[in-house]
Structure formats: C-alpha cells, structure tokens
Amino acid sequence: MVTTSDIPNILFWIRQEWSVSDDSIEALLKCLRPCRFGRRHMLVREGYAEGCAYFIEKGLTRSYWIVDGEEITTSFTAEGSLVFSMDEFYYNLPSQEYVETVERSEAYQITLDDLRELMATRLDLSNWARIIHQNEYRRLHQTHKERLSLPATERYKAFARQFPDICRRARLTDIASYIGVAPATLSRIRASLFDVHQ
C-alpha cells in the first residue's frame, strides 16, 4: 500500500492548498496506484475516456490541443499536481486534449470514480478540489489576458516569473506555443534577455 512517505511532494501540495485531515489522506492513499513513465508518455488522449487521473510525485507534464496539425500547449504540471481530462471528469465526455510527460515521471494513478467518491464524501477534499480549480481558472484567465494585451517579450517575462522552474525544464517549442509566439521569436527573446543580464 502507498504511504505518506511515498508522496511527500503530493502531500505538500495538497496541504498547501487546504488543511486536509490525516483521515482523508489515508482514504486517498488507499485509492492510489504507483506508476512510472518515460519521456513523452501519453497520460490523456484526445477522443478517449481513460477513466483515471494522476498525481505527479516527480516529473513534469504538459497539456495540449492539436489545432490544424499544430500542437498548442495549454498548461504545464509539475511535482505535487494532479492531471486529468476535465471533459471526462466533469461531463463524462472523451477528452478534448492530450497530456504527456515532458520528463521521466513518477506518478500515482487514481480512478475518476474513486476521485469523485472522495470529493463527494469528504468535505476537506472537496474544498481542496475547489481551491485548485479556482487557481486553475485564475491562471487560464491571466494567460488569456496576457496573450491579448502584452507584447511577446513581456509575455515571456510573465511566464518566467510565474514558472521559473518550468522555464528550465520544458522545451522551448512548448513554452513558445503556450505564450503564443513562434519558437524562433522566443529564441531571440531569450537571447536578448540573456545579453541584458551579461
């Protein structure tokens, strides 16, 4: 069985967002199954209902859509976070996006049925879920606003301030698509910012 010592990053992230009881953590642990994935492993696929979510203990994932044959990155998820298809979890529909690992990752799988049951029967986990979704909505809103109002260099600076660790770990092409610029443009922006700090 999974124990709290197996999931320090996940536990830290959960309790940073809400004061979840030991009893609820124990109930969650009983539902988790450990998994290891290599780079570019697909966790969620467009058009499929996978039936599960993943808590990321170590590693990095990215979510993306394919629009006119081009991958458009919508989010990154690092240690401690939870990834799943919102379409499947909330609406019982196949996913409209992909989620893949960016690096080798250690994760803990939970079925969506178990996750729904925990949130329906445990107020602290329900409140935790509400907070993480509020935060995600705020991030999406802020990203949308930045893409509409900021020039490319300022968009990258905002991304780097909010996600410094992801700037070091994610591929340039994925960051470029997230902030809505061409990879060559982002490469020039990074080079100019590096020159300024020399």
Side-chain angles (χ1 to χ4, degrees):
M1 184 181 139
V2 179
T3 67
T4 54
S5 63
D6 296 320
I7 59 163
N9 292 322
I10 295 165
L11 199 56
F12 175 80
W13 177 67
I14 289 172
R15 286 190 161 147
Q16 179 180 307
E17 302 299 337
W18 194 263
S19 182
V20 175
S21 70
D22 290 344
D23 187 52
S24 288
I25 293 295
E26 286 301 317
L28 174 64
L29 291 172
K30 290 175 184 173
C31 299
L32 299 180
R33 184 177 71 83
C35 309
R36 290 177 183 265
F37 303 109
R39 285 183 67 250
R40 313 272 333 243
H41 179 85
M42 203 63 63
L43 299 175
V44 175
R45 297 172 294 162
E46 181 186 23
Y48 289 86
E50 307 286 353
C52 57
Y54 298 90
F55 286 91
I56 307 301
E57 178 58 30
K58 289 183 183 174
L60 180 68
T61 72
R62 82 175 174 113
S63 301
Y64 64 95
W65 297 318
I66 296 182
V67 179
D68 297 328
E70 183 182 348
E71 294 181 4
I72 308 296
T73 301
T74 57
S75 66
F76 296 94
T77 303
E79 284 82 5
S81 299
L82 177 66
V83 295
F84 58 89
S85 164
M86 287 200 179
D87 299 296
E88 186 179 2
F89 186 68
Y90 293 114
Y91 307 109
N92 290 312
L93 294 171
S95 179
Q96 293 185 23
E97 67 180 348
Y98 297 87
V99 180
E100 72 172 6
T101 57
V102 173
E103 355 176 284
R104 285 189 299 219
S105 300
E106 295 177 19
Y108 288 83
Q109 185 186 72
I110 184 169
T111 69
L112 294 182
D113 286 342
D114 283 343
L115 191 55
R116 287 185 194 104
E117 176 68 15
L118 286 169
M119 290 179 185
T121 58
R122 295 184 174 268
L123 183 60
D124 51 359
L125 286 173
S126 181
N127 279 322
W128 163 76
R130 176 179 53 80
I131 294 296
I132 65 169
H133 285 96
Q134 282 176 197
N135 292 343
E136 181 64 5
Y137 175 78
R138 187 167 187 266
R139 181 195 64 79
L140 289 169
H141 186 264
Q142 187 66 31
T143 300
H144 184 64
K145 180 181 176 186
E146 288 166 358
R147 285 184 90 162
L148 292 173
S149 63
L150 295 180
T153 299
E154 296 308 309
R155 270 181 272 162
Y156 177 69
K157 286 180 178 178
F159 178 86
R161 280 192 302 273
Q162 188 175 5
F163 305 110
D165 190 46
I166 291 171
C167 279
R168 293 186 293 274
R169 296 164 68 182
R171 296 180 305 177
L172 181 138
T173 53
D174 297 336
I175 296 171
S177 77
Y178 181 85
I179 65 172
V181 301
T185 301
L186 180 54
S187 188
R188 286 193 297 273
I189 289 168
R190 283 179 146 181
S192 69
L193 293 175
F194 180 76
D195 287 342
V196 166
H197 290 96
Q198 285 292 314

